[in-house]
């Protein structure tokens, strides 16, 4: 039999590789392993981000033990664990403190676990990368769930002139309005049905338009050409709202760009010394 | 800013990747992640083998919870966990039953964890790949620790004519001799100091000659040219024993070949349906 070739090993993994994981149930659909691992390795880190399939009833028993793996440096949380992840953090980063939710955890050199949330900063990063300002702008935001409330807080951090917020749940709307006012006292905050007249930016963070849903998150036939239109939905990449915006000549920002922005900020967080 | 390239993701990891791990303390020195991952991916499996650094005092608490990760299909154990791994198996494979030790565990489709040991079958596989028979041969084996006793059992399974066993610990020698007799009643078993006269194969499974140790595991100046000489030591690849054997014109089998054989058998075990 011939000798095995000298290349009988992979180059992306060895005994010194640092581990990160995304925790969810189910896990097969996540995109973070290929995208965050790419970003980690682009930055020169010997690190991978793995899918970690923790079944929902096992979460409380499994997670504290996983956190004891000495070469596991960070975790990302997806459905259905976003809310429960908060309990695993020993302290919170600035965005997480504002919102009271996390989607990532990292181990500090001292061994503490810091929680932070990147849904909102991913959106702000996507606008920054496209050279589209949010400071001083008038922003209409539809949908104030997990992603929407994080986007509201991050956009507020950019000091827009006006934020008009809409959610079917009025209590939620009032709570997010308070958060925005606290973060940016100079921003005028309105609660009410979605409008585009007098707005510079329209953001959708509701599920309307997701996965074959033909509806728009706002009742309009046309959009002003000067409006910048953002949709947080990742699948499909071209939602009904974005398709309308493109027909009307608007500039658009896609959910995938927010995801890329989120990944960049999350990897900053994972790799910075703290 | 320019758009990120379309290739902003790695190809070796995604949400469907099945996980395997090597558990040790320390972990940085292990070679299994790059070698076993290569073998898994060569076979077409969407799978990786990760370094899992479990600190020694954490083993009993962490391992049962790690085994609940629903996309973790197998584990390999290295120093200092080889003995404790046995307690994590719900049943044992044939080699592990003979020796009473394991170095790998896999999850069956029914959710049980089967333990097996591959130190010995890796050695036998290395001889098979080189076309060197063990059946009917006279084999001198020096060193009957973890690897040595596994090698003794696997070589016994090949029905050699004679096995002469040597270890500084006489109790250990007697126990391994019993194992060999049980596996291969037709093999003549001797216990005593290492000799090469009348032998076809000399195997070293002792640490003598490891990492700059200039000693030979047997007191000789020359080796018969017809002798086949095997050394289980991986570092250095050329041990003092193998260097002497090459000077004397003997055929040699290196520790790295045993490691490759062990990886092949271990991946067979991981991927076969059971």
């Amino acid at each position: 039999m011939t000798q095995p070739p000298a290349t009988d090993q992979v180059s992306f993994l060895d005994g010194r590789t640092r581990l990160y994981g995304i925790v969810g149930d189910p896990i097969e659909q996540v995109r973070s392993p290929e995208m965050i691992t790419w970003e980690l390795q682009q930055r020169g880190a010997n690190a991978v981000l793995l899918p970690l399939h923790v079944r929902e009833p096992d979460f409380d028993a499994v997670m504290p033990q996983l956190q004891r793996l000495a070469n596991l440096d960070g975790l990302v949380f997806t459905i259905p664990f976003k809310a429960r992840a908060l309990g695993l953090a020993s302290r919170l980063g600035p965005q997480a403190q504002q919102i009271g939710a996390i989607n990532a955890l990292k181990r500090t050199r001292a061994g503490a676990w810091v929680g932070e949330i990147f849904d909102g900063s991913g959106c702000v990063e996507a606008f920054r990368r496209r050279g589209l300002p949010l400071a001083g702008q008038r922003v209409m935001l539809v949908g104030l769930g997990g992603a929407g409330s994080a986007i509201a807080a991050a956009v507020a951090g950019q000091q827009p002139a006006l934020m008009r917020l809409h959610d079917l749940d009025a209590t939620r709307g009032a709570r997010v309005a308070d958060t925005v006012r606290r973060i940016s006292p100079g921003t005028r905050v309105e609660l009410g049905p979605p409008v585009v007249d007098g707005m510079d930016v329209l953001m959708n963070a509701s599920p309307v338009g997701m996965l074959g849903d033909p509806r728009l998150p706002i009742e309009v036939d046309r959009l002003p050409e000067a409006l910048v239109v953002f949709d947080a939905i990742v699948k499909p990449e071209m939602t009904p709202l974005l398709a309308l915006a493109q027909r009307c000549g608007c500039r658009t920002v896609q959910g995938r760009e927010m995801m890329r922005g989120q990944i960049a900020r999350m990897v900053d967080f994972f790799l910075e010394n703290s």
Side-chain angles (χ1 to χ4, degrees), chain A:
Chain A
M1 202 168 159
T2 56
Q3 288 282 330
T7 55
D8 58 349
Q9 51 185 61
V10 299
S11 58
F12 54 83
L13 203 57
D14 63 31
R16 286 172 299 281
T17 302
R18 306 302 298 183
L19 308 181
Y20 296 85
I22 176 162
V23 181
D25 182 21
I27 201 68
E28 293 74 16
Q29 78 292 349
V30 299
R31 301 293 313 280
S32 303
E34 58 265 42
M35 295 183 75
I36 297 187
T37 300
W38 185 86
E39 183 77 20
L40 285 163
Q41 299 199 343
Q42 275 291 109
R43 311 259 190 122
N46 179 357
V48 291
L49 185 131
L50 307 161
L52 297 175
H53 186 185
V54 175
R55 292 194 201 283
E56 195 166 3
D58 292 341
F59 187 85
D60 292 335
V62 169
M63 292 311 304
Q65 299 305 329
L66 263 184
Q67 288 177 289
R68 291 166 82 174
L69 274 183
N71 57 342
L72 180 82
D73 289 341
L75 292 165
V76 182
F77 296 88
T78 188
I79 293 165
F81 300 128
K82 286 199 172 192
R84 290 163 84 183
L86 195 62
L88 303 174
S90 38
R91 63 171 204 262
L92 300 182
Q95 298 275 322
Q97 282 178 34
Q98 283 166 354
I99 301 165
I102 70 169
N103 72 340
L105 267 181
K106 76 162 171 181
R107 190 202 303 271
T108 66
R109 278 183 297 188
W113 286 86
V114 185
E116 189 51 293
I117 188 158
F118 295 92
D119 292 322
S121 47
C123 169
V124 167
E125 172 69 9
F127 273 71
R128 194 190 66 74
R129 287 181 175 204
R130 293 282 292 275
L132 297 166
L134 289 165
Q137 299 297 96
R138 295 163 298 174
V139 179
M140 174 76 235
L141 172 59
V142 182
L144 303 172
S149 57
I151 288 170
V155 170
Q158 301 299 303
Q159 329 261 314
L162 165 71
M163 284 189 79
R164 183 174 170 94
L165 307 170
H166 176 66
D167 195 276
L168 295 176
D169 179 339
T171 319
R172 197 187 254 178
R175 198 181 61 230
V176 175
D178 283 347
T179 304
V180 170
R181 283 187 200 103
R182 200 171 61 241
I183 295 171
S184 181
T187 298
R188 196 174 113 215
V189 182
E190 298 177 0
L191 281 167
V195 297
V196 290
D197 290 333
M199 294 293 164
D200 303 303
V201 179
L202 169 62
M203 297 185 158
N204 177 48
S206 82
V208 175
M210 196 181 279
L211 295 174
D213 175 354
R215 294 175 301 156
L216 294 172
I218 175 169
E219 283 183 40
V220 289
D221 295 322
R222 291 200 52 76
L223 296 166
E225 193 178 337
L227 194 70
V228 174
V229 180
F230 164 73
D231 201 325
I233 290 170
V234 175
K235 282 186 184 175
E237 287 196 27
M238 185 53 57
T239 60
L241 176 65
L242 291 176
L244 173 64
Q246 290 204 344
R247 283 198 304 277
C248 296
C250 306
R251 280 169 299 179
T252 57
V253 180
Q254 295 187 332
R256 197 175 161 90
E257 294 174 71
M258 176 174 101
M259 192 197 281
R260 286 201 192 99
Q262 177 164 341
I263 284 170
R265 291 285 78 82
M266 205 180 264
V267 171
D268 289 345
F269 170 72
F270 282 151
L271 298 182
E272 83 199 352
N273 282 324
S274 59

